[in-house]
Amino acid sequence: MTWWRRLLGLSRIENRLATPTPAETVAGPKRITIENHGGRIVSVREIGFIGQCATSPNGRFTLLWRDRAIINDSYRGGRYVLIDNGRVVLDGEMARPQDGKITDEGVFILNDAGSGDELSGTFRAFASDGRTLMARSFAANLYNNGLSSDGRLAVCQTCNAPGSPDSNILCVFDLASGREVACWIPESGWADGYEFPVSGDRVRMLRRDREPIDYSLEGTFIDQRKWYGDEVSRGTYYVIGEALKAGEAITGLTLEQLREGAKTAAGNADERFKADTLRLLGEIEEQAGDARAALAAYEEALAINPRIGVAKRAAALRKALGS
């Protein structure tokens, strides 16, 4: 029994009440009462349900889902339920439903984590009448998903899955036509959420402590320069390295901006990457033509990690400087 079942004492409800069959649901939709227990955890006594929920913005539809669980000492598979104005209109089974979203028209999506132990997952989208609009399986676990307010577009993003072509990808789906638009590895990494601007030509990746950034539906990084500028100014050392390689024509960033970003990174309290950052600062100083500053950065990096890979470069600079 999971912690929230123990806390709420609700396991008896699921043990006692049977899940209605599709025939019962179609013959006479049940009017139910949803009881909230904090956050997204709810129970519905009339149908013996305990799980999570998402409600459409207009309040008409509520989507319920429950991961697989041990009930009466045996596993039961996952379950999802669609409520329309207080009545059950869909009650289905799914291996491990997660991360539900729903629109004002009752279009809804779920990530299905599957029943096996391998890295895998299936993105699923449905119409309010239960029709499958999209189903796409991945050889990677699913991280999260997003749904446009009109139910036309949806996305899902996968987790890291070494060796899999589905590792770390973002996929865009056109639910109106039931097709996959594009999949790619976002340069900016994972998002915390998604929006779909009214233009309908892009997906906006929301990030908890960062500015939102846009990609086209086909994967073009529309806000690439904005992302480079933000991450470099914050001192994200690996992005500074990528920006140095890419050059000002692509990033819009000068060597002075990269230098300031590297100095910010080098002063970070987390010193795990300090030697790498100082090596990077030395490379920036070399490109800027300041040999003494480059040598100083290399020597500081070598003092932290003698195997950082710049010993020969530092020796060459000492010789050139006559020091």
Side-chain angles (χ1 to χ4, degrees):
M1 190 187 305
T2 57
W3 68 268
W4 47 271
R5 285 188 173 84
R6 290 197 302 269
L7 177 65
L8 302 172
L10 293 172
S11 60
R12 298 186 303 276
I13 299 174
E14 282 193 335
N15 292 342
R16 187 173 66 252
L17 299 175
T19 302
T21 66
E24 290 173 333
T25 301
V26 172
K30 290 179 176 290
R31 180 167 287 281
I32 53 86
T33 300
I34 300 173
E35 186 176 355
N36 190 284
H37 300 281
R40 301 177 76 175
I41 303 300
V42 299
S43 66
V44 182
R45 187 173 295 273
E46 293 87 347
I47 59 173
F49 181 91
I50 306 168
Q52 298 186 68
C53 74
T55 302
S56 62
N58 63 3
R60 174 181 170 181
F61 291 97
T62 299
L63 174 64
L64 311 178
W65 67 93
R66 183 203 68 201
D67 202 342
R68 67 182 180 185
I70 297 177
I71 301 172
N72 286 337
D73 299 320
S74 63
Y75 264 115
R76 287 192 189 177
R79 179 182 177 189
Y80 65 93
V81 179
L82 182 63
I83 312 296
D84 182 355
N85 282 322
R87 294 185 182 275
V88 176
V89 292
L90 292 175
D91 194 337
E93 296 180 352
M94 187 179 295
R96 297 192 61 195
Q98 300 173 2
D99 207 13
K101 308 286 191 308
I102 189 163
T103 71
D104 285 344
E105 290 73 36
V107 173
F108 64 95
I109 61 174
L110 287 161
N111 284 348
D112 184 359
S115 56
D117 294 328
E118 72 279 3
L119 299 181
S120 64
T122 302
F123 169 83
R124 303 185 187 277
F126 301 88
S128 60
D129 59 5
R131 287 178 297 113
T132 296
L133 302 176
M134 190 78 208
R136 205 303 199 169
S137 295
F138 297 87
N141 291 338
L142 298 183
Y143 180 64
N144 58 14
N145 61 33
L147 178 64
S148 65
S149 59
D150 60 5
R152 183 177 73 85
L153 296 171
V155 297
C156 73
Q157 197 162 10
T158 66
C159 301
N160 185 38
S164 169
D166 292 335
S167 179
N168 300 325
I169 61 173
L170 177 71
C171 279
V172 176
F173 306 101
D174 184 336
L175 301 185
S177 62
R179 68 184 180 91
E180 180 181 302
V181 178
C183 286
W184 69 93
I185 299 176
E187 190 175 353
S188 55
W190 292 290
D192 297 306
Y194 308 91
E195 290 180 348
F196 298 84
V198 293
S199 60
D201 63 349
R202 63 190 61 195
V203 54
R204 179 160 294 153
M205 299 181 75
L206 306 178
R207 304 176 299 161
R208 192 171 294 109
D209 59 347
R210 301 286 199 272
E211 287 292 314
I213 49 176
D214 291 357
Y215 287 83
S216 75
L217 299 183
E218 292 75 27
T220 301
F221 197 174
I222 296 170
D223 284 336
Q224 185 182 51
R225 284 195 169 193
K226 175 182 176 182
W227 174 73
Y228 269 125
D230 183 38
E231 296 297 333
V232 167
S233 67
R234 290 172 179 269
T236 308
Y237 92 93
Y238 76 90
V239 178
I240 298 169
E242 292 176 7
L244 182 63
K245 293 176 183 176
E248 186 175 352
I250 292 176
T251 68
L253 299 173
T254 64
L255 287 174
E256 177 58 30
Q257 289 172 299
L258 297 183
R259 177 189 289 117
E260 290 305 311
K263 288 180 178 179
T264 298
N268 195 302
D270 183 352
E271 297 192 345
R272 289 176 299 168
F273 309 110
K274 187 164 185 175
D276 297 276
T277 302
L278 289 165
R279 171 180 173 161
L280 179 58
L281 178 58
E283 292 171 358
I284 294 169
E285 298 291 11
E286 274 205 88
Q287 283 202 27
D290 192 335
R292 290 193 182 279
L295 177 58
Y298 288 149
E299 288 180 333
E300 193 174 350
L302 287 164
I304 298 171
N305 180 6
R307 302 179 66 181
I308 195 64
V310 294
K312 290 183 179 180
R313 190 65 205 147
L317 287 173
R318 285 192 209 97
K319 184 177 180 180
L321 292 167
S323 57

